[in-house]
Amino acid sequence: PPTVDVTYDPEQGEFTIDFSEKPYNPATGLPYTPDEIKDLITKDPLSNLDPDNTVVIVDPNDETKFIVTPSPKDPSKDVTVEVPENLYTDEGKNPGRGDDETADVVPPTVDVTYDPEQGEFTIDFSEVPYNPATKAPFTKEALEKLLKDSNTNVKDITVTPKLDGEGNPTGDFTIKSTPKDPTKDLTIEVPKGSYTDEQGNKGSTDKDTNDVPVAEDQDSEMSPEYINF
């Protein structure tokens, strides 16, 4: 019988439905069209796929492969692309085996703000930030290097966890930063694609600037508790 392999590529934000041979629609006796594949995978309400905004095309280099750009009905939940068993055939009408893949398809975001009253920056990730180089949550050292390398007026930067009254980490982080030029504004930026979520979706960017002459030392704060030590 024919088979199918469903996979998700977080780098592209796309699912691939890869049939072992050209899939036929049992209802029409003809090869599946992209619209019919979309109807097939979005009709299940548990898929969390928005049929109006999910896009399905045929791979231009392989007519047995369909590319799905998903749009979730509920962005807070994963989506599932499933090709059920026996709902396609090969040209000889042999029913096919099924496959499915579930993934978080919403890219993570970051919010960088400066509080002039406190003289602090806050970096707030929407999800646990993962280091693309290690596929693990950012370490203290890796975060320091990222922020230093990404911001031209940062001479030195040190990340330390904030503690509560009992000495336990609160999940917030203070970033001690020394500017290269104290007469210039200090900008803290998290570059686009410099972090991912656990699924591997690349994160967006954000930045903020203090917009005032900075002192020799500049504090910034990071939350929530997303950096492992």
Side-chain angles (χ1 to χ4, degrees):
T3 60
V4 64
D5 186 29
V6 183
T7 56
Y8 177 67
D9 181 357
E11 292 275 340
Q12 301 297 324
E14 298 172 339
F15 287 89
T16 297
I17 303 175
D18 191 1
F19 292 95
S20 59
E21 47 193 299
K22 185 183 293 185
Y24 281 72
N25 187 337
T28 65
L30 299 173
Y32 262 106
T33 66
D35 283 343
E36 290 172 339
I37 290 292
K38 184 170 78 167
D39 290 342
L40 178 68
I41 64 175
T42 61
K43 66 181 181 181
D44 181 355
L46 297 179
S47 71
N48 194 33
L49 288 167
D50 180 356
D52 294 328
N53 294 302
T54 294
V55 176
V56 179
I57 64 170
V58 177
D59 187 321
N61 300 313
D62 187 348
E63 63 180 4
T64 69
K65 190 179 296 184
F66 292 81
I67 307 300
V68 180
T69 303
S71 177
K73 291 180 180 178
D74 183 349
S76 68
K77 297 180 180 179
D78 294 348
V79 303
T80 298
V81 171
E82 179 180 10
V83 177
E85 189 174 22
N86 299 328
L87 290 189
Y88 70 98
T89 71
D90 58 16
E91 189 174 10
K93 298 185 178 180
N94 298 297
R97 295 175 179 172
D99 194 30
D100 64 86
E101 180 77 6
T102 298
D104 169 10
V105 301
V106 178
T109 59
V110 64
D111 187 31
V112 181
T113 56
Y114 176 71
D115 183 348
E117 293 187 0
Q118 299 296 323
E120 295 176 344
F121 289 86
T122 297
I123 304 178
D124 187 3
F125 291 99
S126 62
E127 303 180 48
V128 177
Y130 277 66
N131 188 336
T134 63
K135 310 296 183 184
F138 262 100
T139 63
K140 170 184 183 295
E141 293 77 14
L143 180 64
E144 290 173 348
K145 185 177 188 305
L146 171 65
L147 295 177
K148 184 175 180 180
D149 292 349
S150 304
N151 298 282
T152 57
N153 196 32
V154 173
K155 179 181 179 181
D156 296 302
I157 194 164
T158 303
V159 175
T160 55
K162 293 185 68 176
L163 306 177
D164 62 20
E166 298 180 355
N168 300 313
T170 64
D172 294 336
F173 294 81
T174 298
I175 300 173
K176 193 75 170 180
S177 177
T178 303
K180 293 179 180 177
D181 184 348
T183 67
K184 294 183 179 180
D185 295 339
L186 180 65
T187 296
I188 294 296
E189 177 179 13
V190 178
K192 181 178 180 179
S194 63
Y195 66 100
T196 71
D197 58 16
E198 186 175 10
Q199 183 74 58
N201 298 297
K202 291 183 177 180
S204 64
T205 183
D206 197 32
K207 65 180 178 180
D208 202 4
T209 303
N210 60 3
D211 290 328
V212 293
V214 296
E216 180 64 23
D217 289 327
Q218 180 75 40
D219 287 343
S220 59
E221 181 181 335
M222 178 177 185
S223 65
E225 54 271 36
Y226 289 159
I227 305 302
N228 289 352
F229 295 87

